[in-house]
Amino acid sequence: MGSLVQYALGARLGRERTRALLVKLPGIKAETVDRAEAWFARHGAQAVLFGRLLPGVRPLTSIPAGVERMALPQYILLTTIGSLAWTSTLLLSGYLLGENWHRVTDSAGTFSYAALGTLALATVLVVAKRRRRRRAEKAAIETNEEARSEAARPSEPQADRSRPTS
C-alpha cells in the first residue's frame, strides 16, 4: 500500500514539482535528477521489479514510476513480483538459519550502524562541499561586478608629464 501512495504522490506532483523538491535536498543536483529520470525512462519496468529486491532502493522506484505515469496494472504487477521475491528470500533465509537467526541480526545491526554512519558522514561532506562551491561562485560574481564597475567609472585625467615642472 505504501508503494501505491508513493506512486500516487509522484503522479500527483508531476515531473517539474518533483524535480524542484529533489534539487533542494543536500547533495542532489539538477543534472543528477535528469540522469536518473532518463535512466528510469529507459529501464522503468526493470527498475521497479529489481528495485524491490534492493534495500534502500525499494522506496526510490515508486515516485519515478508515478511521475512517468507507468501503467498502474503493470506497476502493481512488477511491485508485487519484486516484493514477493524479497519477502520469500527473507523468509527462506530465516527458515534455513533456524535457531541461528540471531547471529545474522547481530551482524546486520552492526552493518546498519556502519552504513548509517557512512551515510551521515557523506551527507555532511556533500553539504560542506556544496556550501564552499556556492561561496566561491558568489565571491567570483562579486569580483566580476566590482571589476565591471571599476571599468565603467570615468578615468581621472592624468597630469601632462611632457612639460618639465619648475
Side-chain angles (χ1 to χ4, degrees), residues 16-36:
E16 294 306 316
R17 285 192 284 179
T18 300
R19 186 177 192 275
L21 286 171
L22 287 173
V23 296
K24 290 181 181 179
L25 297 174
I28 297 181
K29 300 177 190 171
E31 302 84 40
T32 305
V33 174
D34 294 341
R35 281 195 317 267

Side-chain angles (χ1 to χ4, degrees), residues 64-86:
V67 168
E68 290 292 325
R69 304 286 178 145
M70 176 182 273
L72 192 56
Q74 179 188 20
Y75 172 76
I76 291 171
L77 177 67
L78 294 169
T79 297
T80 302
I81 292 169
S83 296
L84 279 173
W86 173 250

Side-chain angles (χ1 to χ4, degrees), residues 14-132:
R15 177 169 284 111
E16 294 306 316
R17 285 192 284 179
T18 300
R19 186 177 192 275
L21 286 171
L22 287 173
V23 296
K24 290 181 181 179
L25 297 174
I28 297 181
K29 300 177 190 171
E31 302 84 40
T32 305
V33 174
D34 294 341
R35 281 195 317 267
E37 183 179 318
W39 183 86
F40 192 87
R42 288 190 312 272
H43 306 287
Q46 294 90 350
V48 171
L49 178 64
F50 295 113
R52 295 289 165 208
L53 301 172
L54 302 171
V57 176
R58 278 192 297 279
L60 302 178
T61 59
S62 300
I63 291 176
V67 168
E68 290 292 325
R69 304 286 178 145
M70 176 182 273
L72 192 56
Q74 179 188 20
Y75 172 76
I76 291 171
L77 177 67
L78 294 169
T79 297
T80 302
I81 292 169
S83 296
L84 279 173
W86 173 250
T87 305
S88 298
T89 301
L90 290 177
L91 286 171
L92 181 62
S93 299
Y95 177 76
L96 294 174
L97 287 168
E99 292 297 317
N100 295 318
W101 65 270
H102 60 86
R103 290 184 183 171
V104 173
T105 58
D106 293 344
S107 299
T110 303
F111 176 75
S112 295
Y113 288 127
L116 286 174
T118 302
L119 180 63
L121 179 62
T123 301
V124 168
L125 292 174
V126 165
V127 169
K129 182 178 178 182
R130 191 178 236 190
R131 282 188 176 175
R132 277 195 307 268

